[in-house]
Structure formats: structure tokens, C-alpha cells
Amino acid sequence: MSDLEHVLPAIVFLPFVVAIFTLLVGRLIGRQAGWLMVLSSVTAFAGSLWLFIHQQVHDRVVPVFTFAWLPDLNIHLNLRADPFGLFFAMLIAGIGVLVGIYSLGYIPRLATGRIGRYYAALIGFMGSMLGIALADDLFLLFVFWEVTSITSFLLIGFWYEQDKARKGALTALQITALGGLAMMAGFVLVGEATGTYQISMLASQEVLRQQLADSPLFMPALLLVFVGAFTKSAQVPFHFWLPNAMVAPTPVSTYLHAATMVKAGVFLIGRMLPIFNQSACWSPILITVGLLTFFVGAYQAFRENDLKGMLARTTISTLGLVMMIYGLNAASQDALQIFNHAAYKGALFLVVGIVEHATHTRDIRNLGGLRKKMPTVFVLCLLSGLSMAGLPPFFGFIAKEALYAELLHNVFLHNRPFLQWFVIGTCVLANAFIFAVSFRLIFGVFLGPLSDKAQDVHPPCAFLWIPPAILAVVTVAVGISSAWPSTQNLMNMLSSEVHAEVHVSLFPSVDHLGPLILSCCTIGIGILIFKARGVVGQAQRQFDLLPAMQTVWDGFLNGVTWFAECFVHHWQNGSMRWYFSAILLFFVGLSILAISYFRLSFDLVPISLSQMPWSGLSLCVLLVITVVTVVVAQTRLGAAIALTATGFLVALIFVVYRSPDILLTQILIESVSTIFILLILFYMPSFKKDRLRPAQKMLNLGISCAVGVTMFIFVLFATSLPFRETENLAGEYLSRAFHGAGGQNAVNVIIVDFRAVDTMGEITVLVVVGLCIFGLLRTRRRMQL
Amino acid sequence: MTVELPQWDQVQRVMPEIWLVIAMCAVLLVPFVRRRSVLAPVVVTMVGLVLALVYVPMGSFGTGGTVHVFSGMLTIDPFSNFFKVLLLAFTLFVVAQWLMTSQREMAVYDVPDFMCLLLGATVGMALMASASNLLMIFIAIEAASMPSFALAGFRKHHRRSTEGALKYVLFGAASSAVSVYGMSLIYGAVGSLDLSQIAYQASVGGGTPLLAVGMLAMFAGIAFKLSAVPLHFWCPDVFEGAPIEITTFLSVASKGAAVCLLLRILYAFAFFGGEGHYIGLATAVAILGGVTATWGNLVALHQGNIKRLLAYSSIAHAGYMIMAASLTAVVAVGDSRLGGAILFYLVVYMFMNLGAFTVAGLVARQTGSEDLRDYSGLMGRSPALAVLLTLFLLSLFGMPGLGGFMAKIFLGMAMFSVAKDVAFVLIIVLFINTVISLYYYMRPVYYMAFVKDDENRMVITPQAAGFMLLLICALALVWTGLLPTQAADLTEDYATIIVREAPGSALSLVEPAVAAVPGNGH
């Protein structure tokens, strides 16, 4: 391979560089930033085209660019230019050129920084789409995938002053970004099962595919990848974000929601086809979802009054169609269908944009008769609309013929005649609805009497009408050129299937009359639907096909928010009492768990109450009394005194159990803290008893008791369980005190010899505390003065 | 038995900490020399931090990277050194952040106290990373906590600050009490406070109930520092009330140090228990981490204050790190992949939080508000700040192309490589949490980009220095997001935790690094 592979990263990453540049200089150049978009997309298109031609001339060698990105994880920055990827890249870059030109005329003079951001997002979007098209690593694909979600969020929310725009942008982001995450989870599973993330390797190596199919991770991976593709391509039941995203400026809708981004999901399925299609679920899921989306989209499109809404729903419909084609393992005509849709739908969106730009409305009921005011646009709409309707000799016609031919001869359907006729019937009906939609569009907007809104419209400037004109010319040109076999060869070359054999021809041969008959049926039913549009519309208002998924989604989000709100309110409410109760209960639970886990029983406890010395017992009783006094005391002083008494009683326990050094420490600390408490008492406001409800009081009491009892049991077990050694510690200390330190008084020796550093530390602490008290006293004096 | 190094040599090993303590004293003496200077204490602090930073490599100089000092109280190994470098660099950033954000609010005579407390907390956290004895662990946690309490309440005339500090103190006291009690139980069960000795005894004598409960109670202290459920309640209140750079400091340094400590303890157990032995312990800690992450994310959904939102997000991130750290208990000896992933996460997390909090501080400095509504239209008012904050938030969420994403990926992969079945559940939890977190990380972005500014709020122009700091964070995130290999390799190299040989254990013979150290006296 020559240096050809270095063109690949240039195609993908140059737009990002341009996007950052646009962001920086956007304020200075304002609307002229559109030229940067045009320039970068032209470059990308030229690069892709050159690669494609080079590839066809030179024995179909596929250029591959590899860069060790995360070698530890076996993730590489692999770019690969196979014909299908290049086709997609050329589509993205080509439509990018047209959208760039169109934006120059469409985007009004706004605050200049905003325009810069718009173009930066658009160029960045293009770069990430090119990345999706050319990525040969699942991870890389995911990265670009999420970047398209984010940039589309920014682009849909361009008119952020409008409430609807904000909501639409947010919904689109939520659905597509979450779908993207699900997809990544699927990719990770694929990677775990096979050890590689390289798409071409997974697709071409039988061993890896078998390894994946045998893995238990296969099904979850497949479903997760489906979720990613369905959300991006707005398939039922995730379809609702696309019509809402129509609040975007029209060039954005054209680019993202007709020509490129929504096709990423379809493209992904095309890429995954060789990896996953052994699965028994592959065809059923894709056919079901695809067919349902195909029909529902077309059905709902006819009901819509918003021009862009109509187009968005027919887009959903066509995406469903392509999904279904993949489900039927008929990948050889994917490029044909995608190209066809991008051409006519791109043109129609741009036309609708012109109409909206001129009349400031998109409602078909307020429009009509624009034929006279803007004849050029009418011709463009007619050409692309008839292509959408599937009439000869347009591109749409041959695409539909190819679809019907496939449905009639498909291997999967051939063994299931009932399913076959069901699918064919539904497809004919759906196509008839699309036919009716395109007629409704042409008649509603351009024919009939001139509406009020259309009185003072002006013909569009060249920037606006040239891009749709180019697309319209493409639909006508491809349609007519399909009379010669070169179009068929090109479509086969571009398809994701390596040896594609789709039959494309403008003139059906005599022995292939089936598709033609179905086409005639479609047109006939379509005309009927269009003629009876009043009745059909009435019926559609009565009969909604699907529950409004938007409502379901909003309900879900509100539910989550509500749950979070309740959670905060009940659990994270700022109350110290509750916080401590929670912690204490947690530790009680933990202790009970430990005790039950180790099956401790009271038989293990060797101590019995009768063995306790009377002095200890009476001290305990006194302790209980003082503690209760602390809790029920009416004044602060009373509570403080009781607390001090508790402390000194604890110290006395050390007397009973003969640990004089601890006793000393305890008494010192107790004295100092008593002084502290008494000093602070002066600053405290008067004692306010909490007015708690009895239930609350009982709960508190219960928690306290639980903590106390658990602690008690715990200490009991802790002290009675076998310690490491049961040597006589006291004897050891006594002998060491005498022989080692030469002291008669063991306590003194312990304090000043064995624990000299300890003692010094304690003294230091006491001194510091004393100084603090001194400081406090001085502050008090100053405050009194 | 390890023969101890000469005393002076041991002292040299802790020179970073010593420099910090010297700086603490020096900064308190500064007012006697220059009375009304803000700059002087800051310079002294920074010099102290830089000196400490320079001396970190000295700690393991000529020892092949590892040394146990002061009768095994501290372990200076590559892992602790890495964290110390991170911590000290981060503290320097925090001081810089303070200069830019809330320095003007503070009275001049408070500055030395503030710096002294900051340095004190840093000492405690540095010790936490090295501590390998329960006594040292306790002292380190307390040394890190005490100054933090005071720092949290440093906005003295601010009710929220005082409330937060009080809650912080009470929670700190409660968890310390539980923790110390647990340590006493452990001592009762094992007869030693040395971490490796405890782990060794546990692996030999089996888990006694005393030891098990002692361990869990001791984790309370660490859980408090990590703000893990159920000891997390203090976190949002403290984070909201504290001055913003203290919030930044606590959210990263304090949690990071606690993660390091957790790793060291769990790894000691794995070292003596062998691979996969302590799966129960790992599961318990992992559940704690999962609950913490979920709790943090759920509560964050309903916050209107940016500091509180970031506080809950930090709880969630601590949860992710605990989940990953839990598997250290079952890791194979010498496997540094998981540790490397956690260190990488920590590095990325440091930059994300530093950036996000700095933006919040810069906005609060000029508008005096931390309310999300006051971020309305920031994209139009101060596009640079808004774009940077968006970047930090997206990284916190885990947007591909930014460090946060790579950190999560590395974490997930490393977890998967250690224990497949447990890790599978943990990764699902991580995934669901990431999905939830998208919602609240986008909220500030939503306000900044899409909500119109009706009240003509002011344009926020950060100083050049503040902008530089933000740019450094952003570049670090982009770099770790796009080309993470070098950083990941570096963290993996430094993720070697060394467990001290337990006296009498046969395993001590196989310990690689210590055996190879000539300076250690073999």
C-alpha cells in the first residue's frame, strides 16, 4: 500500500480541526463561517471520492490506517475504507457541501458568536459522521457515535429561546446518548467474547464469529447493539424523538434527520450484519421492528400537518424499510435505498426550508398556490416528490422495484408464504401512504389557490435553491441512467455486501413483471388514499396506531425526578437526628449480621451476673440513673452535671477493675471537659426541649435501646471469646516493674516508665486544653467589657 | 525479620511530611515578620509544598522504591509516592485556586491560619497513603480530619459553613469512635496493630468473628473519609458550606487518601490470603461502593446548587472507586492493573473536579451565587467559562474523548480482569449509574446553553491565571481522553503496593521487592 491510508485520518480529523478553528474565529467572520463548512466538506468529499476511484482502479485494495491507541485494551484507532464506508462518507460529505451552501442563505444575521458555534457544531458533526463511516474499531465507532449525539443536541437547540427547541434537543440527546451507551455495553461484550474490537476482523474471520456465537454474551450483546441502532435510527418504540427534533433549523434537519445521522443506526446494522446474522433473533427482530416502523411512520406522516413533521415521519418509515431489508439478509440493496432516500428527502427538506423561510409557516393548511410565486422551487419539489412517490423514471421508482423484487424472491420469506404476503401487503400499503403524502405535499403547498400567507413571498436566493436542485437532478439522473447497466454495477459496488447482485433497471423485463404489478397496486391505492384524504384523515384522528411514546418517556422521566425528590426529602433531609439514627441502625444491623454469621450463642459467655462484684454492679446501676438524668434533664446545667457524674462513674469502674493509668487519664479528661462544658454554658441559648411527636420519641427510644443492647451483647462476646493468649498480663507487669524498672509501685512505673511517652502526650494535651480554656475565659471577659 | 534502617535514614524517608510540618510552623510565624501580607504566607506554603514535592522521590532513593520505616508504621512504596506527588501537586493547585476565588473574602490575619490548616490536612493525607499500622492509620485519619473540620467552617459568619463544620465534627467524632473500637477488637483478636501481621494472622487463623467485626468497624473511619454510605451524610452540607477551594480539596484529596488507605489494607489481605480468598470481604466492600454510587447519583438528580450537585457527584465517584477498590482484596499478588486503573481514575477525577469547582468558584466570586439558575445564558455571557464547565461535566459523566470516559473504561476492564462474576454485576451498576448521572450533569449545561438570561446577569471574566488553571485541567482531560496510554502505563507502573513481610510467615520469602532491596538490611 502506498501513502493512501494517510488520507483516511485526514478525512476524519480535518473537520474537527476546522470546527475548532471556526469556533475561535466565528465571532470575526460571522456568516462567512459557512464557507469553512463548504470547504471542509468539499475536501472530505474529494478525498473519499479519490479513495473510491483509486480502489476501483487498483484491484479493490482496501486502504487501512492503524494507530495503536489503547494497546493494553486491544483498542486501536483503525480506519478502513471499504466501498460501503466510502459510499457513506461520500454521502455525508456530499450532502455536507449542499447543506453548507444552503446554510449561507438560510441562517439569518444573528449575534455573530452564535453563528460560529452553529457552524462549528455542524462541521464537528460531519467529522464524527465520517468517523462512523470509516471506523474499523467498535470503540472508535462508539466515540464518534456519541459525538454526533452531542453535536446534534447543540444543533437542534439552535433556537434555544423556544421552549420546544430546548425540549426537543434534550429528548433527542437523552434517547440517542442512552442508546449509544447501551450500544457500547454491547460492544464491550463482543470484545470480551472474542478478544478483538476490530470490525473487519470480526466480520471476516469465521473462528471469531463462531467464538462469539458460542459465548453466553452473544444474545445480550446483540440486543444492546440493536438498542443503539434503533434509538439512533428512530425505530419504534424510540421513534418519537425525531419529529420533536424538527424544531431544528432546516439545514440541520436535512443533514442530521434525513440524510446522515439517523442513517447511522442503519449503517451500524449493515456493519454488524456479517457478525451477528447467524443468530436466530436477527431476522425476526429486525423484520418486526423494521416493518412496524415502516408502516407506522408512513401512516402517521399522512396525518401530520407540519411539513417537516410529515417528512420526518416518512424518514422514520424509510429507515424502518432499510432495517427490514437487513433483517431479510438482503444487504445488497442497502446502498441503493439509502442513496435514494438521501437524495429525494434531502431535496424535499431543503424545499420545505425555502417555503418556511419565505412564508414563515410550516403548516400545510396555511399554504397553497406557491406554484406561481416560486416556479423553480415548484419544479424541484415536483421532481423529488415524484421520486418519493415512486413514479418512473425517478430514482424512487427503481428503488421500490428492487424492494418488491427482493420481497418476492427472498430466501427467508420464500419458506413462509403467509409471512411473505403479509410483509408484501404491509409494504404496499405503507408505500401507498408515502405516495399519498408526497401528493399531499405537492398539492397542498404548490397547487390550488394562493393562500394568505403566501401573498408577498419572494423567490429564493441562489444559495437556497441550488442545493435542492442538485439533489433533484441526481434523482432524475440516476433514475434515467438505470436504463443502462452501469447504475446497477455502481449500486452493487457500493453495497455493504461484497458480492452484491441487486438487479436495477428502469425497464422491467418480461419475466420480472411481479414488482411492476406491485408498483401499480401501490400507485393505485396511493391515489385512492389521496382522493379520499378527508375520510382517511377523519379515520386516522379516531384511530391512533401507537400510544404516544413521548408521553410514556416524559412520564418515566418525571417518575425518576419524583423518586429522587422523595429520596432527598426522606433520606437526605439535613436532620442530624435522622442521619445519626441511620448510621447507628446500620452498625446495629452489621453487628447482628456478624453475630448471626458466626453463630454466636450465649453458651460461649463464661461470665454470669452472680460473679460480678457488688461494687461494679452498684456502679452500673448508678450509671444508668445518671444517663437517664442526662436525657430527661430540664435545664442545661442539670444535664451537664449528670454528664459529669457519668464520666466520673466510668472512671470509678476502672478503679474496680484495677487499671489505674486509664483511671488517671479518665479523671483528668473528665475534669477538663467539665470546665469546658460549664464555660460554654454561658454562651448557649436557653434549653429548648424538642417538641416531638410521641411516635418519634418512641422511635428514638427504640433506636437507642437497639444500639445499647447490640453494643452490650457485642462487648460481652468480644470479651468472652478466646483472646490470642491467656497469659497473665498483670503478673508480667508486676515482675517487670520490679526487676526491669526497680519500682515498688507498679502504677507509678507504668505511668512514668512503661508509658512515658504516652504520659508526656497526655500532659501536653492537657496543657493545650488548659490554654484553650484560658483563651476562652479571656474572650468572655472581653465580651463582658 | 527486617533489620531496621539507621534512625537518620528513616527520618530522611519522611522528609516530604517533615517539610510540610516545617512549613506549617513557618506559615504561623510569618505574621511576626510581615504583618499585613497575603502573599507572604502563600509563598511560604507554596515553598513548603514544592520542597515536599521535590523530596518525595528522595523517600525511596537507593532502596529500589520501597522501604518500611519506624518499625513498620509507614510504608514508602511506589504507590504512596505516586499519591503523594499527586496530592502535593493538587494542593498547589488548590492554593492557586484560592488565590483566584475566595481569597478576597478572607481577612488578612486569617490567611496564615488557613494555610497552616491546609498544610496540616495535607500531612495527614500523605500519611494516610503510607500508613501500614492501625495506630498510624488512626493518627493519619485524625490528622487529616481535624484541620479539615476547621477549614470547613472557615467562613465564620456564614451559617451554612458553620452548620456544615459542626456536622463534619460530629460525624468525624462518631466514626472515629467506631473506628478505634474496631481497632481495639482487631488487636484483641490478633495481638498486633501491624497491618501485615493482622492480614497474616487472619489468613492463618481464619476469620474470627472478633476480627471480622473489628475490620468492619475500622472501615467506618475510612468510610467517613470516603463519604461512603451510611457515613456520607456530612458530605453535601460540608461541601456546600465550605469555601470552594476547601470543597475542591476535600472532594479529591481526602477521598483519594482514603482510597489509597483502603487499597493498602485490602491488598495486605489479598497478599497473605491469596487470589480470590477474601471474596466475601470484597463483596461486602463492593456492595458498600455500589450503594454509595447509586445514592449519590439519585440524590444529585434533585439539586439546584452547583456545589451540592458536585458534592453528590463526588459521592458517586467515590462509590465507583470503592467498587473497584473492593476487588483488591481478591487480586493476585503483584497484579497492578486494578491499582493502576484506580490511580488513573484518581488523576482524572482530580482534574475534573478541580476544573468544575474552579469554574463554580469564579462564577460565585462575581455573582455571589451558586444557584444553577444564575448560570442561565452563561454560554452567551462568558462562552469560554461555559464551554470549559461543559467539558468538565461531560468528563465527569464519562463522555468519550475525555479523561472521565477512559478512566471508567479502564476501571471496568481492570475489574473484569480480576473477578469476572462480581465485576460483571459491578460494571452493570457502574453503567446504570453513568446513565443516571447524564441527567444531572446536563442540567448546568442546559441552563448555560439553553435558558435565557432574563435578568441581565453580569459577564464573568476570569483572570488570566484562573483561565490558565482551567486550561491545564481541560488539556489534561483531553489528553487522558484521547491518548491515555502513557498516563495509564505510568499509573500502572506506580501502582505497586508493597506489603511488609509478617514476622514468622513463610510467605515473606516470596515477597519480591523487599527481598531485592539491599538498603533494607538483608
Side-chain angles (χ1 to χ4, degrees), chain A residues 6-204:
Chain A
H6 296 298
V7 179
L8 283 169
I11 291 175
V12 174
F13 292 110
L14 197 66
F16 290 106
V17 177
V18 178
I20 292 169
F21 177 71
T22 312
L23 201 60
L24 292 178
V25 302
R27 232 169 245 281
L28 300 176
I29 57 176
R31 292 178 76 190
Q32 304 308 316
W35 291 110
L36 289 172
M37 168 79 192
V38 175
L39 197 67
S40 57
S41 47
V42 164
T43 318
F45 185 77
S48 317
L49 189 66
W50 183 55
L51 279 181
F52 181 69
I53 292 170
H54 195 274
Q55 190 173 52
Q56 296 308 325
V57 175
H58 292 87
D59 303 331
R60 303 198 165 199
V61 179
V62 175
V64 174
F65 173 81
T66 301
F67 172 76
W69 186 21
L70 304 170
D72 299 347
L73 302 179
N74 212 358
I75 292 169
H76 302 279
L77 208 155
N78 287 344
L79 297 170
R80 186 168 179 274
D82 63 338
F84 187 50
L86 279 178
F87 156 67
F88 207 53
M90 282 189 285
L91 186 72
I92 293 156
I95 305 273
V97 177
L98 303 182
V99 166
I101 296 171
Y102 189 83
S103 293
L104 283 169
Y106 185 86
I107 298 294
R109 292 177 196 285
L110 294 167
T112 46
R114 201 157 144 183
I115 293 184
R117 289 203 295 279
Y118 165 79
Y119 281 114
L122 206 59
I123 299 170
F125 168 79
M126 184 178 74
S128 45
M129 277 311 294
L130 289 167
I132 291 179
L134 299 175
D136 191 28
D137 185 283
L138 292 172
F139 234 78
L140 192 64
L141 196 152
F142 164 71
V143 170
F144 287 126
W145 187 278
E146 290 296 60
V147 177
T148 62
S149 294
I150 294 283
T151 43
S152 83
F153 168 70
L154 296 173
L155 289 168
I156 296 170
F158 182 70
W159 305 114
Y160 58 77
E161 297 87 351
Q162 301 169 11
D163 222 21
K164 271 176 72 181
R166 296 204 295 261
K167 196 163 181 301
L170 210 55
T171 313
L173 177 71
Q174 284 159 353
I175 298 289
T176 54
L178 296 190
L181 283 176
M183 182 185 82
M184 189 205 67
F187 287 169
V188 170
L189 295 184
V190 171
E192 282 299 329
T194 59
T196 180
Y197 289 97
Q198 200 178 337
I199 301 171
S200 55
M201 204 140 97
L202 285 164
S204 61

Side-chain angles (χ1 to χ4, degrees), chain A residues 470-491:
Chain A
I470 293 171
L471 286 172
V473 166
V474 167
T475 58
V476 178
V478 177
I480 293 173
S481 71
S482 64
W484 294 273
S486 57
T487 309
Q488 177 178 324
N489 294 344
L490 184 71
M491 287 305 153

Side-chain angles (χ1 to χ4, degrees), chain A residues 361-382:
Chain A
T361 179
R362 284 186 346 218
D363 196 321
I364 196 164
R365 288 167 298 188
N366 298 338
L367 290 167
L370 281 178
R371 172 181 86 257
K372 293 162 202 143
K373 290 283 181 182
M374 32 175 90
T376 337
V377 182
F378 171 58
V379 171
L380 297 179
C381 182
L382 198 64

Side-chain angles (χ1 to χ4, degrees), chain A residues 69-70 192 572 574 583 714 724, chain B residues 167 171 191 213 312 482 484-485:
Chain A
W69 186 21
L70 304 170
E192 282 299 329
Q572 190 82 40
I583 294 173
F714 207 75
R724 66 215 142 92
Chain B
K167 279 184 176 162
F171 273 96
V213 177
Y312 285 111
L482 291 179
T485 316

